[in-house]
Amino acid sequence: MTDAKSSSLVDYERDGEIVTLTLNRPEKLNAFSDELVGALSDALHRFDMDDEAQIAILNGRGRAFSSGADVQQRQLRSREEFLRLGGPQGRGTHSSDLLTKAVNWKPVIAAAHGYVLGLSVGIVLECDLVVAEEGTKFQVTETSRGLGAGKYWALMHYRGGGAFTMEAALTGRFFTAEEAFKANLINRVAGKGKYLDVARELAREVIKNPPLSVRSTVRMRRWYMDRLSREVMFMTAPERLYLTEDFGEAARAFTEKRKPKAFKGR
């Protein structure tokens, strides 16, 4: 039995016990606005409460999984708004809460293709399992934007990324699905156009097992992941890098499609 319903920003489709969640903002390369984070949160809650669903696959429509945060909305806020919100995210739309506020702790597989940039790197790595199409390009854009890559270093380190973790975090360079697989950051590399098929194969392997056993494991992993995230936030939040001149210049340069001026370290 298939249960399908489309919303404006996230499509929800259930086929048997497998739910497919599709980011549906392709004209913006699925950039995460406050509204998209909120819509994904609602979709994940619906999945969590769906008695017929055992596992979800998260993917993006169009040319990319996601280009990361919507710079126009989330990184060009006024100083007053940054202070009021405590950062670039809107009230109640912090992406790190997406997978740590569950009730039933069902597993989520990220199925990535095209580009996985900035904020979306965090969302993908926070998923329980990760499949990426061959050639998919990842990038920690927070490095070049002046926001710091502490969270992403921590997530990659948590997944066992080793020395590669620090290189990716400090350089902010693109790295491929193949590099990510070699560094133990993802679980599968799929052929061109096959990332959803491979994710569904992996999902079917998971749901062969007793669901409560699976959820117990997911809950334990996410508890540690949430603790790690809170430790990173405790360390980095007082820096308030989103108020620095360098961050402002990097964000403006990105939206104006130019190279940033020389950074000042302030």
Side-chain angles (χ1 to χ4, degrees), residues 121 125 138-157 161-175 185:
V121 173
L125 294 180
F138 296 78
Q139 185 185 31
V140 180
T141 56
E142 283 72 8
T143 303
S144 59
R145 302 275 171 79
L147 282 172
K151 173 183 176 179
Y152 303 89
W153 174 86
L155 284 171
M156 289 188 285
H157 181 70
F164 179 80
T165 292
M166 188 58 96
E167 179 184 337
L170 288 185
T171 66
R173 70 169 177 85
F174 283 104
F175 59 94
L185 298 180

Side-chain angles (χ1 to χ4, degrees), residues 17 35 44 48 77 81 94 128 135 150 166-168 175 195 242 247 251 261 264:
E17 295 176 305
E35 292 77 17
L44 286 166
D48 194 38
R77 302 184 193 273
E81 193 172 10
H94 206 298
D128 304 292
M166 188 58 96
E167 179 184 337
F175 59 94
Y195 57 97
Y242 49 84
F247 166 74
K261 299 175 184 176
K264 301 176 180 179

Side-chain angles (χ1 to χ4, degrees), residues 61-88:
R61 177 161 287 121
R63 296 192 295 117
F65 177 85
S66 173
S67 60
D70 186 323
V71 177
Q72 288 278 2
Q73 182 196 64
R74 290 169 72 102
Q75 296 186 4
L76 292 180
R77 302 184 193 273
S78 67
R79 180 182 178 84
E80 292 70 26
E81 193 172 10
F82 279 132
L83 290 171
R84 179 171 59 82
L85 295 171

